[in-house]
Short mmCIF file of all heavy atoms in Angstrom, two decimals:
data_model
loop_
_atom_site.label_atom_id
_atom_site.label_comp_id
_atom_site.label_asym_id
_atom_site.label_seq_id
_atom_site.Cartn_x
_atom_site.Cartn_y
_atom_site.Cartn_z
N LEU A 304 -91.33 58.27 136.57
CA LEU A 304 -90.67 57.69 135.39
C LEU A 304 -91.45 56.54 134.76
O LEU A 304 -91.72 56.55 133.56
CB LEU A 304 -89.25 57.27 135.78
CG LEU A 304 -88.22 57.20 134.66
CD1 LEU A 304 -88.17 58.51 133.89
CD2 LEU A 304 -86.85 56.86 135.24
N PRO A 305 -91.87 55.51 135.58
CA PRO A 305 -92.58 54.37 134.97
C PRO A 305 -93.93 54.78 134.39
O PRO A 305 -94.47 54.08 133.53
CB PRO A 305 -92.76 53.40 136.12
CG PRO A 305 -91.91 53.89 137.21
CD PRO A 305 -91.65 55.33 137.00
N GLU A 306 -94.47 55.91 134.87
CA GLU A 306 -95.78 56.32 134.35
C GLU A 306 -95.66 56.93 132.97
O GLU A 306 -96.57 56.80 132.15
CB GLU A 306 -96.42 57.35 135.30
CG GLU A 306 -96.79 56.77 136.66
CD GLU A 306 -97.15 57.85 137.66
OE1 GLU A 306 -97.55 58.96 137.21
OE2 GLU A 306 -97.00 57.61 138.87
N VAL A 307 -94.54 57.61 132.68
CA VAL A 307 -94.45 58.31 131.40
C VAL A 307 -93.78 57.46 130.31
O VAL A 307 -94.01 57.69 129.13
CB VAL A 307 -93.73 59.66 131.52
CG1 VAL A 307 -94.50 60.58 132.44
CG2 VAL A 307 -92.29 59.47 131.99
N VAL A 308 -92.94 56.54 130.70
CA VAL A 308 -92.35 55.66 129.68
C VAL A 308 -92.60 54.21 130.05
O VAL A 308 -92.68 53.88 131.23
CB VAL A 308 -90.82 55.89 129.55
CG1 VAL A 308 -90.52 57.26 129.00
CG2 VAL A 308 -90.13 55.67 130.89
N ASP A 309 -92.73 53.38 129.04
CA ASP A 309 -92.86 51.95 129.32
C ASP A 309 -91.75 51.19 128.59
O ASP A 309 -90.87 51.79 127.96
CB ASP A 309 -94.24 51.45 128.91
CG ASP A 309 -94.56 51.84 127.49
OD1 ASP A 309 -93.63 52.29 126.79
OD2 ASP A 309 -95.72 51.71 127.07
N LEU A 310 -91.85 49.89 128.62
CA LEU A 310 -90.80 49.07 128.03
C LEU A 310 -90.68 49.34 126.53
O LEU A 310 -89.59 49.31 125.96
CB LEU A 310 -91.10 47.59 128.29
CG LEU A 310 -89.93 46.65 128.07
CD1 LEU A 310 -88.77 47.02 129.00
CD2 LEU A 310 -90.35 45.21 128.26
N THR A 311 -91.83 49.63 125.88
CA THR A 311 -91.81 49.87 124.44
C THR A 311 -90.89 51.05 124.10
O THR A 311 -90.12 50.99 123.14
CB THR A 311 -93.22 50.20 123.93
OG1 THR A 311 -94.14 49.34 124.60
CG2 THR A 311 -93.30 50.04 122.44
N THR A 312 -90.95 52.11 124.91
CA THR A 312 -90.11 53.28 124.64
C THR A 312 -88.64 52.88 124.66
O THR A 312 -87.87 53.25 123.77
CB THR A 312 -90.35 54.36 125.70
OG1 THR A 312 -91.73 54.42 126.00
CG2 THR A 312 -89.85 55.70 125.23
N LEU A 313 -88.27 52.12 125.70
CA LEU A 313 -86.88 51.66 125.80
C LEU A 313 -86.51 50.82 124.60
O LEU A 313 -85.47 51.01 123.97
CB LEU A 313 -86.70 50.85 127.10
CG LEU A 313 -85.32 50.24 127.30
CD1 LEU A 313 -84.29 51.34 127.54
CD2 LEU A 313 -85.33 49.27 128.47
N MET A 314 -87.39 49.87 124.24
CA MET A 314 -87.06 48.95 123.15
C MET A 314 -86.98 49.67 121.80
O MET A 314 -86.15 49.33 120.97
CB MET A 314 -88.11 47.83 123.06
CG MET A 314 -88.08 46.86 124.23
SD MET A 314 -86.42 46.43 124.78
CE MET A 314 -85.93 45.37 123.44
N LEU A 315 -87.84 50.69 121.64
CA LEU A 315 -87.79 51.44 120.38
C LEU A 315 -86.43 52.11 120.20
O LEU A 315 -85.94 52.26 119.09
CB LEU A 315 -88.89 52.50 120.34
CG LEU A 315 -90.30 51.97 120.06
CD1 LEU A 315 -91.31 53.11 120.11
CD2 LEU A 315 -90.34 51.28 118.72
N GLY A 316 -85.82 52.50 121.31
CA GLY A 316 -84.47 53.05 121.22
C GLY A 316 -83.45 51.95 120.98
O GLY A 316 -82.58 52.06 120.12
N LEU A 317 -83.57 50.87 121.73
CA LEU A 317 -82.53 49.84 121.69
C LEU A 317 -82.51 49.06 120.38
O LEU A 317 -81.46 48.60 119.95
CB LEU A 317 -82.72 48.86 122.86
CG LEU A 317 -82.29 49.39 124.23
CD1 LEU A 317 -82.41 48.28 125.27
CD2 LEU A 317 -80.87 49.92 124.18
N VAL A 318 -83.69 48.93 119.77
CA VAL A 318 -83.75 48.08 118.58
C VAL A 318 -82.91 48.67 117.43
O VAL A 318 -82.46 47.96 116.55
CB VAL A 318 -85.23 47.89 118.16
CG1 VAL A 318 -85.74 49.08 117.36
CG2 VAL A 318 -85.41 46.59 117.39
N LYS A 319 -82.67 49.97 117.51
CA LYS A 319 -81.87 50.61 116.46
C LYS A 319 -80.38 50.29 116.60
O LYS A 319 -79.64 50.32 115.61
CB LYS A 319 -82.03 52.14 116.53
CG LYS A 319 -83.45 52.62 116.35
CD LYS A 319 -83.50 54.12 116.27
CE LYS A 319 -83.52 54.75 117.65
NZ LYS A 319 -83.85 56.20 117.60
N THR A 320 -79.96 50.02 117.84
CA THR A 320 -78.52 50.02 118.08
C THR A 320 -77.74 48.91 117.36
O THR A 320 -76.65 49.18 116.89
CB THR A 320 -78.23 49.97 119.59
OG1 THR A 320 -78.89 48.84 120.14
CG2 THR A 320 -78.73 51.22 120.27
N PRO A 321 -78.27 47.67 117.24
CA PRO A 321 -77.48 46.69 116.49
C PRO A 321 -77.28 47.11 115.04
O PRO A 321 -76.21 46.85 114.45
CB PRO A 321 -78.33 45.42 116.57
CG PRO A 321 -79.21 45.61 117.73
CD PRO A 321 -79.48 47.07 117.81
N VAL A 322 -78.26 47.80 114.47
CA VAL A 322 -78.11 48.29 113.10
C VAL A 322 -77.00 49.34 113.03
O VAL A 322 -76.14 49.30 112.14
CB VAL A 322 -79.44 48.87 112.59
CG1 VAL A 322 -79.30 49.34 111.15
CG2 VAL A 322 -80.54 47.84 112.72
#
Side-chain angles (χ1 to χ4, degrees):
Chain A
L304 205 54
E306 293 169 23
V307 298
V308 293
D309 52 12
L310 196 61
T311 320
T312 320
L313 176 68
M314 292 320 287
L315 284 177
L317 285 185
V318 82
K319 300 187 276 191
T320 55
V322 182

